[in-house]
Amino acid sequence: MALTGGEIKLDRGHDGRVAYLTLDHGKYNIITWETRQVMADRFAEIDADDDIQVVVIRGEGEHFSSGGDIAGFMEVEPIDFTDLGHNVTAPARSPKVVVTAVDGYCFGVGFELALASDIRVATERSEFALPEMNLGMIPGSGGTQRLARLIGLSRAKYHVLTASRINAAAAKDWGLVADLAADRAELDEKVERLVTKLLGFSPLAARTAKEVLDRGVDAPLYSGIELERKAYAMLRSSKDFAEGVAAFTEKRAPKFQGR
């Protein structure tokens, strides 16, 4: 069953272990002010559900998202912008592994939403951009910072300052996306294969790896390595690690429980 609200549909698959969030607001899946908050609400629900291991974000129709409701921003009080981006960046704070499937346009806040996820897969026709300079504005939902960390400061400056688009081939070459698909059908197939692979791992190990990577990347190398050591030691006492070792020695598939 799908739950709707704020132009975001929530479906569950793989025996409830995967949450599918689908942007569904017209041809270009415009993200309104209300949609931003619904995204946060959806993730609050997902994060509280221990059965869910993986989240997939995708767009209905021809395009992932052309960005935000530009005219609608003029109806929002300036003080409300102080928390801008906290809601659509919920994927980055989620303990679940978040995969974003991109087809077509991925612009503005839609791009920032994708940047906040863990893994991005796109079609060869996809285009990425932060076009806010065209409006006399800058990205406000993590775009400048996450893009610079993913593709390097020099490239990020060029694409933010000139509002230039990044084609799919460049996105793959720069590590912005993990994989490319020829079309939407192949994109769906690749994402499902990725989801199946992710479901085969320990949810506890996946959550820990995500946290170590995210927190360590902004820390000095020594601090990141120390964080990794302590997380490794913590996982040593987990039931999933014991199960993984037993499955390896017994030459069978492990049955992880997330504990």
Side-chain angles (χ1 to χ4, degrees):
M1 182 180 69
L3 302 176
T4 61
E7 295 79 48
I8 299 178
K9 295 188 295 185
L10 169 60
D11 299 280
R12 295 182 61 161
H14 294 269
D15 297 323
R17 293 183 296 162
V18 180
Y20 294 92
L21 291 175
T22 305
L23 302 175
D24 188 9
H25 188 201
K27 181 179 180 180
Y28 297 105
N29 288 322
I30 293 174
I31 297 175
T32 66
W33 194 262
E34 291 75 18
T35 304
R36 288 169 172 268
Q37 186 53 46
V38 173
M39 180 63 71
D41 294 342
R42 290 288 182 252
F43 266 95
E45 179 182 347
I46 289 167
D47 294 348
D49 192 328
D50 291 337
D51 291 335
I52 297 175
Q53 295 176 233
V54 180
V55 183
V56 176
I57 303 175
R58 56 196 180 185
E60 187 70 40
E62 297 181 14
H63 300 286
F64 178 73
S65 174
S66 65
D69 177 15
I70 296 172
F73 280 126
M74 300 307 295
E75 301 173 4
V76 181
E77 293 296 326
I79 188 63
D80 293 331
F81 280 90
T82 56
D83 290 328
L84 181 71
H86 188 73
N87 37 31
V88 295
T89 56
R93 298 186 300 276
S94 175
K96 319 295 183 178
V97 178
V98 183
V99 178
T100 294
V102 176
D103 185 28
Y105 295 161
C106 185
F107 298 162
V109 66
F111 190 14
E112 291 175 303
L113 173 62
L115 288 171
S117 66
D118 302 308
I119 302 172
R120 288 160 294 280
V121 183
T123 58
E124 293 174 355
R125 76 182 191 96
S126 295
E127 295 180 279
F128 304 83
L130 293 171
E132 286 82 358
M133 289 296 290
N134 292 320
L135 303 172
M137 181 50 77
I138 67 169
S141 299
T144 61
Q145 301 306 300
R146 288 196 168 92
L147 188 63
R149 284 162 172 75
L150 282 168
I151 69 174
L153 182 58
S154 180
R155 285 176 179 148
K157 281 184 176 181
Y158 173 77
H159 284 283
V160 171
L161 291 172
T162 66
S164 299
R165 299 183 184 185
I166 302 171
N167 63 39
K172 176 66 164 59
D173 185 50
W174 297 345
L176 186 57
V177 299
D179 199 4
L180 290 179
D183 52 29
R184 182 60 175 266
E186 186 180 23
L187 175 66
D188 292 341
E189 292 173 4
K190 282 180 175 285
V191 168
E192 280 305 300
R193 286 199 296 269
L194 175 59
V195 166
T196 299
K197 186 176 184 66
L198 290 168
L199 289 175
F201 299 123
S202 160
L204 177 60
R207 181 168 67 248
T208 304
K210 175 175 177 173
E211 184 174 7
V212 169
L213 284 162
D214 284 343
R215 296 188 181 277
V217 73
D218 287 330
L221 177 60
Y222 179 82
S223 298
I225 291 175
E226 190 65 21
L227 177 62
E228 180 186 83
R229 285 199 196 103
K230 287 179 167 53
Y232 188 96
M234 181 273 292
L235 288 174
R236 169 60 183 83
S237 63
S238 70
K239 293 182 179 179
D240 275 359
F241 179 68
E243 167 61 13
V245 172
F248 177 80
T249 57
E250 295 167 13
K251 294 181 171 52
R252 60 174 175 80
K255 298 179 180 179
F256 296 120
Q257 302 296 319
R259 296 177 296 185

